[in-house]
Amino acid sequence: MRITVNGKERDFDEGITILDLLSQMRLDSRKIAVELNLEIVPRSAYHRTALEYGDQIEIVHFIGGGADTASRRDEDSFTVAGRTFTSRLLVGTGKYKDYEQNARALEASGAEIITVAVRRVNLTDPDKPMLVDFIDPKKYTFLPNTAGCFTAEDAVRTLRLAREAGGWDLVKLEVLGDQKTLYPDMPETVRAAEMLLKEGFQVMVYCSDDPIQAKRLEEMGCCAIMPLGAPIGSGLGIQNPVNIRLIIEQANVPVLVDAGVGTASDAAIAMELGCDGVLMNTAIAEARDPILMARAMKAAVEAGRMAYLAGRMPKKKYADPSSPLGGLI
């Protein structure tokens, strides 16, 4: 019997179940999600779901976060979708040389939320390490994202698989417009958000730095707004602080700068504007020393937040001496 698994035709015995297939491929059913003919198969049904000639199977896993909120003591924590976090730095899982380096950088950053992409399982090497072998989803909050999706349908399909694989309903939505800029396609983003919200997902949404679009997404029910600082992976820093500030001023949900951060000062600037957090990947992963940069980003986010809470001095047109002039010799 011939069926297609992750895009390649394979031959199996008649009457094989999904559980049998996974066993033959030496795949751990606890670490993956299965889609049969575009319909997600619950893990509890693997043993009784028989496959037929011509079936299309997709087997995916997370590549490169749950956190106990009962013991939170930091008064400056922030809450998204009813979950409280003390770290305002969120990090990604791409571009590291390996999962071990990724895990070390994550620990150094102090982040509690980590974004993860959903990709096909490597069926030619089922023993190849997976992200969850190095980063414990019980210690960190995995935030499945839709990186690489260019249509609402692809984004929704990806997150349905993510929910099946890990059981998480808190997700990061991004629907891209083109390969060159990776700017969000806002009409498709809105359409995808509508679909996901109807299915009970808690949607943190990557969007343009347009205050009108940001407000619309919030009013739809998105639990966090994530305007770009600059194009993904560009390292250009915050290009439009005025719009970011406007989005923050009108928002009743967390606002996190997503994309464009290149170094620690960029992260500090985002926090000084009043953002609730910053999400980054390339700035850490492609640094000469990712572990040291992760520590720098942690410090920058904390410093920027403290500066925002402290309130900066007003800017003045002329000099104003620090030392009093009275009693001058």
Side-chain angles (χ1 to χ4, degrees):
M1 177 180 68
R2 178 156 295 188
I3 62 177
T4 301
V5 184
N6 283 7
K8 293 184 178 181
E9 291 187 345
R10 293 170 177 261
D11 292 319
F12 296 93
D13 294 335
E14 296 281 346
I16 190 174
T17 66
I18 289 177
L19 189 61
D20 295 332
L21 180 147
L22 296 176
S23 179
Q24 289 184 25
M25 293 186 167
R26 296 182 298 146
L27 295 175
D28 187 340
S29 63
R30 297 169 300 178
K31 297 180 180 180
I32 51 89
V34 176
E35 181 186 73
L36 172 60
N37 300 327
L38 301 182
E39 294 290 335
I40 292 175
V41 181
R43 197 168 284 116
S44 60
Y46 288 176
H47 70 286
R48 64 173 183 269
T49 304
L51 300 175
E52 300 178 356
Y53 183 88
D55 278 346
Q56 304 276 334
I57 296 282
E58 290 288 342
I59 306 174
V60 305
H61 67 130
F62 293 126
I63 64 171
D68 179 11
T69 62
S71 61
R72 301 298 183 194
R73 297 186 179 90
D74 189 339
E75 294 181 358
D76 189 40
S77 60
F78 81 105
T79 301
V80 57
R83 309 176 197 199
T84 302
F85 302 94
T86 56
S87 173
R88 294 175 180 271
L89 175 60
L90 292 71
V91 298
T93 48
K95 302 182 178 181
Y96 291 94
K97 72 175 184 179
D98 53 37
Y99 288 142
E100 182 180 1
Q101 185 187 65
N102 192 167
R104 290 175 59 211
L106 172 59
E107 184 176 2
S109 75
E112 297 164 302
I113 302 176
I114 179 170
T115 62
V116 292
V118 179
R119 293 293 184 269
R120 286 174 168 171
V121 169
N122 184 353
L123 301 179
T124 61
D125 186 6
D127 296 324
K128 187 176 182 180
M130 293 186 179
L131 180 70
V132 294
D133 296 324
F134 291 83
I135 298 174
D136 187 354
K138 294 180 181 179
K139 182 178 179 181
Y140 298 98
T141 295
F142 276 33
L143 184 65
N145 67 21
T146 56
C149 291
F150 290 83
T151 68
E153 285 76 15
D154 284 347
V156 172
R157 179 187 178 196
T158 296
L159 292 177
R160 285 171 179 162
L161 279 165
R163 181 159 62 181
E164 176 62 24
W168 297 286
D169 60 0
L170 180 64
V171 297
K172 180 198 163 189
L173 171 65
E174 60 181 71
V175 184
L176 306 176
D178 62 65
Q179 289 280 3
K180 183 176 181 179
T181 67
L182 299 182
Y183 263 64
D185 182 328
M186 291 312 300
E188 285 292 285
T189 297
V190 169
R191 196 161 66 87
E194 290 173 341
M195 297 165 68
L196 291 167
L197 291 167
K198 286 179 181 178
E199 295 186 19
F201 285 93
Q202 300 284 348
V203 181
M204 300 174 68
V205 57
Y206 167 67
C207 60
S208 63
D209 58 4
D210 179 352
I212 305 303
Q213 291 280 15
K215 192 62 179 177
R216 181 182 180 190
L217 289 165
E218 178 186 340
E219 291 172 345
M220 287 171 55
C222 292
C223 63
I225 306 301
M226 307 176 77
L228 57 82
I232 293 172
S234 68
L236 292 172
I238 310 300
Q239 295 296 295
N240 199 339
V242 174
N243 276 17
I244 299 295
R245 172 73 81 179
L246 290 173
I247 291 171
I248 293 167
E249 288 178 355
Q250 70 184 7
N252 295 304
V253 297
V255 175
L256 304 94
V257 160
D258 178 10
V261 170
T263 190
S265 58
D266 299 330
I269 288 170
M271 297 307 298
E272 288 171 3
L273 288 171
C275 288
D276 294 280
V278 182
L279 171 60
M280 66 183 72
N281 183 182
T282 307
I284 296 176
E286 291 194 348
R288 186 171 62 252
D289 184 337
I291 313 306
L292 185 58
M293 183 60 81
R295 295 193 191 106
M297 291 300 186
K298 176 183 179 182
V301 168
E302 292 173 350
R305 177 63 179 173
M306 286 189 286
Y308 171 74
L309 293 175
R312 66 158 291 145
M313 61 165 283
K315 294 182 179 180
K316 302 172 183 177
K317 189 175 181 180
Y318 301 106
D320 183 6
S322 300
S323 301
L325 297 179
L328 184 65
I329 297 174

